[in-house]
Amino acid sequence: MPHSSLPPVFLGLRAGLHVLTAALLVLVAVRVLITGDSIATLALVLVLAFAALYAGGRALSLAPPARRQALGRLWLGGLCAVWTGLMLLVPEAAYLVFPLFFLLLHLLPRPWGEIGVLAATALAILALGLHHGFSLGGVVGPLVGAGVALLIGLGYQALAREAREREELLAELLATRSVLAAAEREQGVLTERSRLAREIHDTVAQDLSSIQMLLHAAEQSSPDGAGMEHVRLARETAAHGLADARRFIRELAPEDLERGLGPALDRLARGIAQRTGLEVEVEAPADLDLPVAAQVALLRISQGALANVAQHARADRARVQIALEDGGVQLSIADDGAGFDSSGLAEGTTGVLAAAGAASRPDSFGLRAIAQRAADLGGTLQIDSAPGRGTRLVVRAPLPDSEVPRP
């Protein structure tokens, strides 16, 4: 974990470890200078070597991640070797075992960290015993220090694990926010395209169609009348304008609806099958011609429903059916999966929204999204399901009289 990302408690523990190490090294150096015996020079060299090696540990963060662990253990081994040599010369050097406890627990995996702490404790007790003779204080002191270090080390590891989980959760939330923002932008674009398509259909296209029919009626009522050539030319111009308006409407539809809702559902079924293995059968009229807004909503409902089936239903097969009914369109999606208790989902959009909002199932968000799209169409959503017998979802949406496809 980078130093800059450590929580304050970690920074405090690290700073305390550095201060403790520096204070103990000063203690050892003062002890060597006071005694001034024949080993003073060698002892001071080892003190400086320990200090330099300890300070050089900060360079480990600059090492490549793949080699950082191995270099850290090598660095720890060097510290332990210098410390062992220093203990043979100066008994007070045994107290450097306390910062070493934390380094052993931090750099070595379990249980090797704990084993290293016990081995270092034994060396410290042995060194104190060789210099001053074995005593209760010389044994209990390092043992108590080892116990405290183990408890602090376990707490540190728990805090570090919690910090990592928090960072992972934050990263996931940021990624989710980006995905939601992209989805909202895409939905905004689709909504605006659908709105433009409806506006063109309801205004320019309808007016051109009416003009074309009126001119055609005038042409038929008096085929040889004066100015009929101009009427014929006006009718042809209106026909060209109507064709252009319809082309604009088609181009404003989403790319996956370029060839119509039926082919878009076929592509969706193939994609689901390739990604998840779920076999999806699509039944849709080949010449189905619905308004752009209805096509977009029905395609998105199908995508959401099939995603729920693939993720939660444990189904092998699913069927998507679209049919025209009196004054509207019906979308049905059924699967042979595990199903669930749908008794709490009342018939109609409002009931489904309320029940799905209170549900604890992992697909409740998908149900809310599907119900909302059905509501946007002015339609209803019905769900029929039971444990062990699959699920059937039916969306019924009305179409304005002018937009109902004619045979």
mmCIF file of all heavy atoms in Angstrom, residues 360-406:
data_model
loop_
_atom_site.group_PDB
_atom_site.id
_atom_site.type_symbol
_atom_site.label_atom_id
_atom_site.label_comp_id
_atom_site.label_asym_id
_atom_site.label_seq_id
_atom_site.Cartn_x
_atom_site.Cartn_y
_atom_site.Cartn_z
ATOM 1 N N SER A 360 -36.122 -8.583 -1.794
ATOM 2 C CA SER A 360 -34.701 -8.773 -1.497
ATOM 3 C C SER A 360 -34.011 -9.603 -2.564
ATOM 4 O O SER A 360 -32.856 -9.945 -2.422
ATOM 5 C CB SER A 360 -34.541 -9.463 -0.131
ATOM 6 O OG SER A 360 -35.209 -10.721 -0.133
ATOM 7 N N ARG A 361 -34.746 -9.971 -3.613
ATOM 8 C CA ARG A 361 -34.136 -10.773 -4.675
ATOM 9 C C ARG A 361 -33.086 -9.952 -5.408
ATOM 10 O O ARG A 361 -33.206 -8.732 -5.538
ATOM 11 C CB ARG A 361 -35.204 -11.239 -5.681
ATOM 12 C CG ARG A 361 -36.198 -12.213 -5.111
ATOM 13 C CD ARG A 361 -37.116 -12.697 -6.231
ATOM 14 N NE ARG A 361 -37.758 -11.592 -6.910
ATOM 15 C CZ ARG A 361 -38.863 -11.030 -6.499
ATOM 16 N NH1 ARG A 361 -39.445 -11.440 -5.382
ATOM 17 N NH2 ARG A 361 -39.402 -10.024 -7.163
ATOM 18 N N PRO A 362 -32.020 -10.627 -5.947
ATOM 19 C CA PRO A 362 -30.975 -9.880 -6.642
ATOM 20 C C PRO A 362 -31.444 -9.258 -7.937
ATOM 21 O O PRO A 362 -30.773 -8.400 -8.481
ATOM 22 C CB PRO A 362 -29.908 -10.958 -6.908
ATOM 23 C CG PRO A 362 -30.651 -12.254 -6.889
ATOM 24 C CD PRO A 362 -31.752 -12.066 -5.878
ATOM 25 N N ASP A 363 -32.608 -9.677 -8.467
ATOM 26 C CA ASP A 363 -33.071 -9.131 -9.744
ATOM 27 C C ASP A 363 -34.130 -8.062 -9.555
ATOM 28 O O ASP A 363 -34.777 -7.667 -10.516
ATOM 29 C CB ASP A 363 -33.617 -10.262 -10.642
ATOM 30 C CG ASP A 363 -34.770 -10.997 -9.980
ATOM 31 O OD1 ASP A 363 -34.947 -10.835 -8.759
ATOM 32 O OD2 ASP A 363 -35.481 -11.721 -10.691
ATOM 33 N N SER A 364 -34.367 -7.589 -8.301
ATOM 34 C CA SER A 364 -35.442 -6.633 -8.081
ATOM 35 C C SER A 364 -35.182 -5.325 -8.811
ATOM 36 O O SER A 364 -36.110 -4.678 -9.285
ATOM 37 C CB SER A 364 -35.615 -6.378 -6.587
ATOM 38 O OG SER A 364 -34.421 -5.868 -6.017
ATOM 39 N N PHE A 365 -33.923 -4.914 -8.903
ATOM 40 C CA PHE A 365 -33.617 -3.695 -9.644
ATOM 41 C C PHE A 365 -33.993 -3.865 -11.112
ATOM 42 O O PHE A 365 -34.541 -2.957 -11.729
ATOM 43 C CB PHE A 365 -32.136 -3.356 -9.528
ATOM 44 C CG PHE A 365 -31.749 -2.131 -10.307
ATOM 45 C CD1 PHE A 365 -31.986 -0.866 -9.807
ATOM 46 C CD2 PHE A 365 -31.170 -2.254 -11.571
ATOM 47 C CE1 PHE A 365 -31.655 0.260 -10.535
ATOM 48 C CE2 PHE A 365 -30.834 -1.130 -12.304
ATOM 49 C CZ PHE A 365 -31.074 0.127 -11.774
ATOM 50 N N GLY A 366 -33.715 -5.044 -11.677
ATOM 51 C CA GLY A 366 -34.099 -5.295 -13.058
ATOM 52 C C GLY A 366 -35.597 -5.244 -13.255
ATOM 53 O O GLY A 366 -36.087 -4.707 -14.242
ATOM 54 N N LEU A 367 -36.346 -5.767 -12.284
ATOM 55 C CA LEU A 367 -37.807 -5.701 -12.382
ATOM 56 C C LEU A 367 -38.293 -4.257 -12.342
ATOM 57 O O LEU A 367 -39.203 -3.880 -13.076
ATOM 58 C CB LEU A 367 -38.440 -6.495 -11.236
ATOM 59 C CG LEU A 367 -38.369 -8.018 -11.327
ATOM 60 C CD1 LEU A 367 -39.039 -8.637 -10.107
ATOM 61 C CD2 LEU A 367 -39.025 -8.522 -12.601
ATOM 62 N N ARG A 368 -37.689 -3.451 -11.474
ATOM 63 C CA ARG A 368 -38.102 -2.052 -11.401
ATOM 64 C C ARG A 368 -37.834 -1.339 -12.720
ATOM 65 O O ARG A 368 -38.649 -0.539 -13.189
ATOM 66 C CB ARG A 368 -37.360 -1.340 -10.260
ATOM 67 C CG ARG A 368 -37.805 -1.795 -8.884
ATOM 68 C CD ARG A 368 -37.393 -0.780 -7.817
ATOM 69 N NE ARG A 368 -35.961 -0.589 -7.769
ATOM 70 C CZ ARG A 368 -35.130 -1.317 -7.047
ATOM 71 N NH1 ARG A 368 -35.598 -2.313 -6.312
ATOM 72 N NH2 ARG A 368 -33.837 -1.064 -7.037
ATOM 73 N N ALA A 369 -36.647 -1.620 -13.323
ATOM 74 C CA ALA A 369 -36.313 -0.976 -14.592
ATOM 75 C C ALA A 369 -37.290 -1.401 -15.696
ATOM 76 O O ALA A 369 -37.750 -0.572 -16.497
ATOM 77 C CB ALA A 369 -34.879 -1.323 -14.988
ATOM 78 N N ILE A 370 -37.629 -2.697 -15.726
ATOM 79 C CA ILE A 370 -38.561 -3.191 -16.742
ATOM 80 C C ILE A 370 -39.944 -2.579 -16.532
ATOM 81 O O ILE A 370 -40.599 -2.129 -17.482
ATOM 82 C CB ILE A 370 -38.630 -4.734 -16.680
ATOM 83 C CG1 ILE A 370 -37.300 -5.331 -17.166
ATOM 84 C CG2 ILE A 370 -39.798 -5.262 -17.517
ATOM 85 C CD1 ILE A 370 -37.190 -6.822 -16.942
ATOM 86 N N ALA A 371 -40.390 -2.538 -15.276
ATOM 87 C CA ALA A 371 -41.700 -1.956 -14.986
ATOM 88 C C ALA A 371 -41.739 -0.474 -15.352
ATOM 89 O O ALA A 371 -42.749 0.029 -15.853
ATOM 90 C CB ALA A 371 -42.036 -2.157 -13.508
ATOM 91 N N GLN A 372 -40.645 0.231 -15.120
ATOM 92 C CA GLN A 372 -40.606 1.644 -15.446
ATOM 93 C C GLN A 372 -40.688 1.866 -16.951
ATOM 94 O O GLN A 372 -41.369 2.784 -17.421
ATOM 95 C CB GLN A 372 -39.329 2.277 -14.900
ATOM 96 C CG GLN A 372 -39.288 3.791 -15.036
ATOM 97 C CD GLN A 372 -40.425 4.461 -14.301
ATOM 98 O OE1 GLN A 372 -40.571 4.308 -13.097
ATOM 99 N NE2 GLN A 372 -41.262 5.198 -15.036
ATOM 100 N N ARG A 373 -39.996 1.025 -17.716
ATOM 101 C CA ARG A 373 -40.068 1.152 -19.184
ATOM 102 C C ARG A 373 -41.495 0.855 -19.671
ATOM 103 O O ARG A 373 -41.986 1.506 -20.590
ATOM 104 C CB ARG A 373 -39.063 0.218 -19.844
ATOM 105 C CG ARG A 373 -37.610 0.642 -19.662
ATOM 106 C CD ARG A 373 -36.692 -0.193 -20.533
ATOM 107 N NE ARG A 373 -35.302 0.132 -20.326
ATOM 108 C CZ ARG A 373 -34.670 1.139 -20.904
ATOM 109 N NH1 ARG A 373 -35.335 1.923 -21.738
ATOM 110 N NH2 ARG A 373 -33.395 1.369 -20.656
ATOM 111 N N ALA A 374 -42.115 -0.142 -19.064
ATOM 112 C CA ALA A 374 -43.507 -0.432 -19.445
ATOM 113 C C ALA A 374 -44.403 0.767 -19.131
ATOM 114 O O ALA A 374 -45.289 1.124 -19.916
ATOM 115 C CB ALA A 374 -43.999 -1.683 -18.725
ATOM 116 N N ALA A 375 -44.159 1.392 -17.976
ATOM 117 C CA ALA A 375 -44.952 2.568 -17.604
ATOM 118 C C ALA A 375 -44.717 3.717 -18.573
ATOM 119 O O ALA A 375 -45.649 4.462 -18.917
ATOM 120 C CB ALA A 375 -44.616 2.996 -16.176
ATOM 121 N N ASP A 376 -43.471 3.881 -19.017
ATOM 122 C CA ASP A 376 -43.168 4.949 -19.966
ATOM 123 C C ASP A 376 -43.929 4.762 -21.279
ATOM 124 O O ASP A 376 -44.221 5.745 -21.973
ATOM 125 C CB ASP A 376 -41.662 4.994 -20.237
ATOM 126 C CG ASP A 376 -40.876 5.459 -19.016
ATOM 127 O OD1 ASP A 376 -41.496 6.053 -18.115
ATOM 128 O OD2 ASP A 376 -39.654 5.206 -18.964
ATOM 129 N N LEU A 377 -44.209 3.521 -21.621
ATOM 130 C CA LEU A 377 -44.984 3.238 -22.830
ATOM 131 C C LEU A 377 -46.485 3.366 -22.590
ATOM 132 O O LEU A 377 -47.271 3.202 -23.520
ATOM 133 C CB LEU A 377 -44.675 1.823 -23.340
ATOM 134 C CG LEU A 377 -43.366 1.606 -24.092
ATOM 135 C CD1 LEU A 377 -43.185 0.140 -24.433
ATOM 136 C CD2 LEU A 377 -43.319 2.446 -25.357
ATOM 137 N N GLY A 378 -46.861 3.610 -21.330
ATOM 138 C CA GLY A 378 -48.279 3.628 -21.000
ATOM 139 C C GLY A 378 -48.864 2.242 -20.904
ATOM 140 O O GLY A 378 -50.086 2.058 -21.001
ATOM 141 N N GLY A 379 -48.008 1.239 -20.711
ATOM 142 C CA GLY A 379 -48.469 -0.143 -20.687
ATOM 143 C C GLY A 379 -48.425 -0.749 -19.303
ATOM 144 O O GLY A 379 -48.268 -0.054 -18.296
ATOM 145 N N THR A 380 -48.539 -2.075 -19.247
ATOM 146 C CA THR A 380 -48.563 -2.816 -17.992
ATOM 147 C C THR A 380 -47.559 -3.954 -18.050
ATOM 148 O O THR A 380 -47.197 -4.430 -19.133
ATOM 149 C CB THR A 380 -49.960 -3.388 -17.691
ATOM 150 O OG1 THR A 380 -50.322 -4.281 -18.764
ATOM 151 C CG2 THR A 380 -50.988 -2.280 -17.564
ATOM 152 N N LEU A 381 -47.157 -4.395 -16.879
ATOM 153 C CA LEU A 381 -46.235 -5.520 -16.747
ATOM 154 C C LEU A 381 -46.887 -6.565 -15.858
ATOM 155 O O LEU A 381 -47.366 -6.255 -14.765
ATOM 156 C CB LEU A 381 -44.912 -5.058 -16.134
ATOM 157 C CG LEU A 381 -43.952 -6.165 -15.668
ATOM 158 C CD1 LEU A 381 -43.481 -7.009 -16.854
ATOM 159 C CD2 LEU A 381 -42.775 -5.571 -14.920
ATOM 160 N N GLN A 382 -46.904 -7.813 -16.314
ATOM 161 C CA GLN A 382 -47.397 -8.924 -15.512
ATOM 162 C C GLN A 382 -46.303 -9.975 -15.410
ATOM 163 O O GLN A 382 -45.587 -10.246 -16.385
ATOM 164 C CB GLN A 382 -48.645 -9.546 -16.151
ATOM 165 C CG GLN A 382 -49.872 -8.655 -16.114
ATOM 166 C CD GLN A 382 -51.050 -9.326 -16.798
ATOM 167 O OE1 GLN A 382 -51.081 -9.431 -18.025
ATOM 168 N NE2 GLN A 382 -52.001 -9.786 -16.007
ATOM 169 N N ILE A 383 -46.164 -10.577 -14.224
ATOM 170 C CA ILE A 383 -45.155 -11.610 -13.992
ATOM 171 C C ILE A 383 -45.845 -12.809 -13.382
ATOM 172 O O ILE A 383 -46.530 -12.705 -12.361
ATOM 173 C CB ILE A 383 -44.037 -11.106 -13.060
ATOM 174 C CG1 ILE A 383 -43.293 -9.945 -13.712
ATOM 175 C CG2 ILE A 383 -43.059 -12.228 -12.734
ATOM 176 C CD1 ILE A 383 -42.229 -9.325 -12.846
ATOM 177 N N ASP A 384 -45.643 -13.939 -14.006
ATOM 178 C CA ASP A 384 -46.206 -15.201 -13.514
ATOM 179 C C ASP A 384 -45.039 -16.144 -13.246
ATOM 180 O O ASP A 384 -44.327 -16.536 -14.182
ATOM 181 C CB ASP A 384 -47.174 -15.796 -14.541
ATOM 182 C CG ASP A 384 -47.746 -17.129 -14.081
ATOM 183 O OD1 ASP A 384 -47.771 -17.373 -12.864
ATOM 184 O OD2 ASP A 384 -48.158 -17.934 -14.945
ATOM 185 N N SER A 385 -44.827 -16.508 -11.981
ATOM 186 C CA SER A 385 -43.704 -17.365 -11.638
ATOM 187 C C SER A 385 -44.005 -18.119 -10.360
ATOM 188 O O SER A 385 -44.842 -17.702 -9.554
ATOM 189 C CB SER A 385 -42.425 -16.533 -11.468
ATOM 190 O OG SER A 385 -41.313 -17.362 -11.199
ATOM 191 N N ALA A 386 -43.322 -19.223 -10.185
ATOM 192 C CA ALA A 386 -43.406 -20.009 -8.958
ATOM 193 C C ALA A 386 -42.127 -20.840 -8.865
ATOM 194 O O ALA A 386 -41.535 -21.188 -9.895
ATOM 195 C CB ALA A 386 -44.637 -20.907 -8.958
ATOM 196 N N PRO A 387 -41.671 -21.144 -7.655
ATOM 197 C CA PRO A 387 -40.450 -21.944 -7.516
ATOM 198 C C PRO A 387 -40.555 -23.264 -8.260
ATOM 199 O O PRO A 387 -41.509 -24.012 -8.113
ATOM 200 C CB PRO A 387 -40.358 -22.159 -5.991
ATOM 201 C CG PRO A 387 -41.091 -20.991 -5.398
ATOM 202 C CD PRO A 387 -42.208 -20.706 -6.356
ATOM 203 N N GLY A 388 -39.581 -23.530 -9.104
ATOM 204 C CA GLY A 388 -39.507 -24.798 -9.815
ATOM 205 C C GLY A 388 -40.222 -24.852 -11.135
ATOM 206 O O GLY A 388 -40.117 -25.856 -11.854
ATOM 207 N N ARG A 389 -40.944 -23.795 -11.540
ATOM 208 C CA ARG A 389 -41.654 -23.874 -12.824
ATOM 209 C C ARG A 389 -41.416 -22.659 -13.718
ATOM 210 O O ARG A 389 -42.228 -22.352 -14.574
ATOM 211 C CB ARG A 389 -43.150 -24.089 -12.611
ATOM 212 C CG ARG A 389 -43.908 -22.965 -11.951
ATOM 213 C CD ARG A 389 -45.387 -23.274 -11.937
ATOM 214 N NE ARG A 389 -46.202 -22.222 -11.369
ATOM 215 C CZ ARG A 389 -46.670 -21.197 -12.053
ATOM 216 N NH1 ARG A 389 -46.368 -21.065 -13.331
ATOM 217 N NH2 ARG A 389 -47.426 -20.282 -11.463
ATOM 218 N N GLY A 390 -40.320 -21.994 -13.535
ATOM 219 C CA GLY A 390 -39.928 -20.938 -14.451
ATOM 220 C C GLY A 390 -40.700 -19.643 -14.240
ATOM 221 O O GLY A 390 -41.490 -19.501 -13.303
ATOM 222 N N THR A 391 -40.475 -18.726 -15.160
ATOM 223 C CA THR A 391 -41.057 -17.389 -15.053
ATOM 224 C C THR A 391 -41.544 -16.939 -16.431
ATOM 225 O O THR A 391 -40.898 -17.212 -17.441
ATOM 226 C CB THR A 391 -40.018 -16.381 -14.524
ATOM 227 O OG1 THR A 391 -39.554 -16.810 -13.252
ATOM 228 C CG2 THR A 391 -40.614 -14.983 -14.405
ATOM 229 N N ARG A 392 -42.675 -16.242 -16.441
ATOM 230 C CA ARG A 392 -43.194 -15.643 -17.675
ATOM 231 C C ARG A 392 -43.497 -14.176 -17.405
ATOM 232 O O ARG A 392 -44.218 -13.841 -16.465
ATOM 233 C CB ARG A 392 -44.450 -16.358 -18.166
ATOM 234 C CG ARG A 392 -44.966 -15.830 -19.513
ATOM 235 C CD ARG A 392 -46.073 -16.738 -20.051
ATOM 236 N NE ARG A 392 -46.535 -16.296 -21.353
ATOM 237 C CZ ARG A 392 -47.625 -15.546 -21.547
ATOM 238 N NH1 ARG A 392 -48.361 -15.165 -20.501
ATOM 239 N NH2 ARG A 392 -47.985 -15.191 -22.770
ATOM 240 N N LEU A 393 -42.913 -13.322 -18.205
ATOM 241 C CA LEU A 393 -43.072 -11.873 -18.088
ATOM 242 C C LEU A 393 -43.809 -11.379 -19.322
ATOM 243 O O LEU A 393 -43.441 -11.723 -20.448
ATOM 244 C CB LEU A 393 -41.691 -11.230 -17.954
ATOM 245 C CG LEU A 393 -41.548 -9.714 -17.908
ATOM 246 C CD1 LEU A 393 -40.287 -9.363 -17.122
ATOM 247 C CD2 LEU A 393 -41.409 -9.139 -19.322
ATOM 248 N N VAL A 394 -44.866 -10.590 -19.119
ATOM 249 C CA VAL A 394 -45.677 -10.100 -20.235
ATOM 250 C C VAL A 394 -45.803 -8.583 -20.114
ATOM 251 O O VAL A 394 -46.211 -8.073 -19.066
ATOM 252 C CB VAL A 394 -47.079 -10.739 -20.257
ATOM 253 C CG1 VAL A 394 -47.895 -10.166 -21.412
ATOM 254 C CG2 VAL A 394 -46.967 -12.255 -20.377
ATOM 255 N N VAL A 395 -45.451 -7.891 -21.180
ATOM 256 C CA VAL A 395 -45.623 -6.438 -21.264
ATOM 257 C C VAL A 395 -46.639 -6.157 -22.353
ATOM 258 O O VAL A 395 -46.500 -6.637 -23.490
ATOM 259 C CB VAL A 395 -44.289 -5.736 -21.586
ATOM 260 C CG1 VAL A 395 -44.522 -4.247 -21.837
ATOM 261 C CG2 VAL A 395 -43.296 -5.933 -20.461
ATOM 262 N N ARG A 396 -47.672 -5.388 -21.991
ATOM 263 C CA ARG A 396 -48.677 -4.969 -22.975
ATOM 264 C C ARG A 396 -48.654 -3.448 -23.047
ATOM 265 O O ARG A 396 -48.720 -2.786 -22.009
ATOM 266 C CB ARG A 396 -50.074 -5.463 -22.592
ATOM 267 C CG ARG A 396 -50.228 -6.969 -22.669
ATOM 268 C CD ARG A 396 -51.676 -7.387 -22.369
ATOM 269 N NE ARG A 396 -51.842 -8.821 -22.523
ATOM 270 C CZ ARG A 396 -51.659 -9.702 -21.542
ATOM 271 N NH1 ARG A 396 -51.286 -9.263 -20.334
ATOM 272 N NH2 ARG A 396 -51.827 -10.980 -21.755
ATOM 273 N N ALA A 397 -48.530 -2.927 -24.253
ATOM 274 C CA ALA A 397 -48.448 -1.479 -24.434
ATOM 275 C C ALA A 397 -49.389 -1.061 -25.545
ATOM 276 O O ALA A 397 -49.428 -1.697 -26.612
ATOM 277 C CB ALA A 397 -47.023 -1.060 -24.770
ATOM 278 N N PRO A 398 -50.162 0.005 -25.327
ATOM 279 C CA PRO A 398 -51.043 0.499 -26.390
ATOM 280 C C PRO A 398 -50.255 1.288 -27.419
ATOM 281 O O PRO A 398 -49.178 1.805 -27.139
ATOM 282 C CB PRO A 398 -52.015 1.403 -25.622
ATOM 283 C CG PRO A 398 -51.190 1.917 -24.473
ATOM 284 C CD PRO A 398 -50.266 0.790 -24.089
ATOM 285 N N LEU A 399 -50.803 1.371 -28.627
ATOM 286 C CA LEU A 399 -50.225 2.189 -29.685
ATOM 287 C C LEU A 399 -51.297 3.157 -30.169
ATOM 288 O O LEU A 399 -52.469 2.790 -30.295
ATOM 289 C CB LEU A 399 -49.765 1.314 -30.858
ATOM 290 C CG LEU A 399 -48.636 0.313 -30.573
ATOM 291 C CD1 LEU A 399 -48.418 -0.569 -31.787
ATOM 292 C CD2 LEU A 399 -47.362 1.039 -30.202
ATOM 293 N N PRO A 400 -50.916 4.408 -30.450
ATOM 294 C CA PRO A 400 -51.887 5.350 -31.034
ATOM 295 C C PRO A 400 -52.451 4.802 -32.334
ATOM 296 O O PRO A 400 -51.774 4.050 -33.063
ATOM 297 C CB PRO A 400 -51.055 6.616 -31.282
ATOM 298 C CG PRO A 400 -49.891 6.489 -30.342
ATOM 299 C CD PRO A 400 -49.600 5.028 -30.216
ATOM 300 N N ASP A 401 -53.684 5.166 -32.617
ATOM 301 C CA ASP A 401 -54.344 4.641 -33.824
ATOM 302 C C ASP A 401 -53.531 4.896 -35.072
ATOM 303 O O ASP A 401 -53.452 4.051 -35.988
ATOM 304 C CB ASP A 401 -55.734 5.265 -33.988
ATOM 305 C CG ASP A 401 -56.699 4.785 -32.911
ATOM 306 O OD1 ASP A 401 -56.403 3.730 -32.317
ATOM 307 O OD2 ASP A 401 -57.700 5.460 -32.665
ATOM 308 N N SER A 402 -52.874 6.031 -35.136
ATOM 309 C CA SER A 402 -52.096 6.367 -36.334
ATOM 310 C C SER A 402 -50.835 5.542 -36.465
ATOM 311 O O SER A 402 -50.225 5.508 -37.506
ATOM 312 C CB SER A 402 -51.730 7.855 -36.325
ATOM 313 O OG SER A 402 -50.918 8.142 -35.183
ATOM 314 N N GLU A 403 -50.442 4.883 -35.346
ATOM 315 C CA GLU A 403 -49.179 4.138 -35.367
ATOM 316 C C GLU A 403 -49.381 2.637 -35.332
ATOM 317 O O GLU A 403 -48.432 1.878 -35.293
ATOM 318 C CB GLU A 403 -48.307 4.579 -34.185
ATOM 319 C CG GLU A 403 -47.873 6.031 -34.299
ATOM 320 C CD GLU A 403 -46.957 6.447 -33.166
ATOM 321 O OE1 GLU A 403 -46.866 5.678 -32.185
ATOM 322 O OE2 GLU A 403 -46.341 7.508 -33.247
ATOM 323 N N VAL A 404 -50.624 2.180 -35.257
ATOM 324 C CA VAL A 404 -50.868 0.755 -35.282
ATOM 325 C C VAL A 404 -50.568 0.232 -36.672
ATOM 326 O O VAL A 404 -51.162 0.709 -37.660
ATOM 327 C CB VAL A 404 -52.322 0.436 -34.896
ATOM 328 C CG1 VAL A 404 -52.590 -1.058 -35.040
ATOM 329 C CG2 VAL A 404 -52.611 0.907 -33.477
ATOM 330 N N PRO A 405 -49.659 -0.756 -36.808
ATOM 331 C CA PRO A 405 -49.318 -1.273 -38.138
ATOM 332 C C PRO A 405 -50.552 -1.882 -38.799
ATOM 333 O O PRO A 405 -51.356 -2.545 -38.173
ATOM 334 C CB PRO A 405 -48.264 -2.338 -37.823
ATOM 335 C CG PRO A 405 -47.698 -1.946 -36.483
ATOM 336 C CD PRO A 405 -48.830 -1.336 -35.744
ATOM 337 N N ARG A 406 -50.670 -1.622 -40.079
ATOM 338 C CA ARG A 406 -51.779 -2.167 -40.867
ATOM 339 C C ARG A 406 -51.281 -3.314 -41.716
ATOM 340 O O ARG A 406 -50.157 -3.295 -42.210
ATOM 341 C CB ARG A 406 -52.365 -1.095 -41.785
ATOM 342 C CG ARG A 406 -52.774 0.179 -41.046
ATOM 343 C CD ARG A 406 -53.859 -0.065 -40.042
ATOM 344 N NE ARG A 406 -54.262 1.156 -39.356
ATOM 345 C CZ ARG A 406 -55.048 1.198 -38.303
ATOM 346 N NH1 ARG A 406 -55.496 0.062 -37.765
ATOM 347 N NH2 ARG A 406 -55.381 2.344 -37.751
#
